Amino acid sequence: MDDAALNPAAVEIGRFFARPPEVVWEALTRPEVMERWFARTVGFEAEVGTRFILVFPTEPPSEVAAEVLVARPGEQLTYSWIYMRPESKVRWVVDWTVQPQGRGTRLLLTQTGFDIEDKRGKMARNAMERGWRNLMPKLAAVIES
């Protein structure tokens, strides 16, 4: 994908891992592994229709209600994401695409649902991009260990 094709209202981050797709998929879908780099999950299964909670280790803990929209093992995981705070009614969609590439795996994260015409929406989009970029090294450490 070239830069001209990128959606300015979306967060899009790609990364290559010198590990097979199964290892990358496991890091995205096994709750005990997800907790090591991302968040604790409550009720998560990589099955379409599964509703679950992500609990982020902030103070106080931040909770996100989520639902699996797409689950194609080893290929794609997509879920909706809604903060469980009354002032935040925004619904985002987080999509992970896993693709074999050479002797490893290309992972593409795409998060959509931001209204960048709104100042707060644009700030949220930029904050989420920073957050995902900060998480990628943690994810890499888990995948490559």
Side-chain angles (χ1 to χ4, degrees), residues 1 6 11-17 24 28 75-77 94-99 105-111 136 139:
M1 175 182 292
L6 297 178
V11 172
E12 296 177 306
I13 301 170
R15 182 148 183 171
F16 176 80
F17 297 98
V24 175
L28 299 176
E75 296 178 20
Q76 183 182 10
L77 177 67
V94 176
D95 179 77
W96 299 96
T97 302
V98 178
Q99 298 175 318
T105 304
R106 169 71 50 193
L107 178 65
L108 176 62
L109 159 73
T110 306
Q111 184 174 2
M136 281 297 169
L139 174 59

Side-chain angles (χ1 to χ4, degrees), residues 1-142:
M1 175 182 292
D2 64 30
D3 289 344
L6 297 178
N7 175 354
V11 172
E12 296 177 306
I13 301 170
R15 182 148 183 171
F16 176 80
F17 297 98
R19 303 284 289 168
E22 301 77 36
V23 173
V24 175
W25 181 255
E26 184 174 287
L28 299 176
T29 61
R30 284 196 42 217
E32 65 275 14
V33 179
M34 291 169 69
E35 189 169 359
R36 290 174 42 206
W37 69 271
F38 184 40
R40 182 169 61 85
T41 64
V42 178
F44 176 77
E45 290 183 45
E47 294 183 20
V48 173
T50 299
R51 292 182 179 184
F52 63 101
I53 304 294
L54 291 165
V55 182
F56 293 97
T58 56
E59 197 52 51
S62 180
E63 295 185 347
V64 170
E67 180 178 356
V68 177
L69 305 175
V70 177
R72 293 194 332 253
E75 296 178 20
Q76 183 182 10
L77 177 67
T78 307
Y79 44 85
S80 62
W81 171 315
I82 302 171
Y83 274 102
M84 296 173 62
R85 294 187 299 238
E87 71 276 8
S88 181
K89 300 291 185 195
V90 179
R91 178 181 183 264
W92 292 312
V93 174
V94 176
D95 179 77
W96 299 96
T97 302
V98 178
Q99 298 175 318
Q101 184 177 45
R103 294 186 177 191
T105 304
R106 169 71 50 193
L107 178 65
L108 176 62
L109 159 73
T110 306
Q111 184 174 2
T112 57
F114 300 100
D115 176 5
I116 62 169
E117 300 301 317
D118 174 73
K119 182 178 178 180
R120 291 179 66 172
K122 188 171 188 173
M123 288 172 50
R125 184 241 170 260
N126 293 341
M128 291 303 286
E129 180 171 16
R130 282 190 304 275
W132 286 119
R133 289 197 185 280
N134 289 336
L135 280 173
M136 281 297 169
K138 294 177 183 180
L139 174 59
V142 167

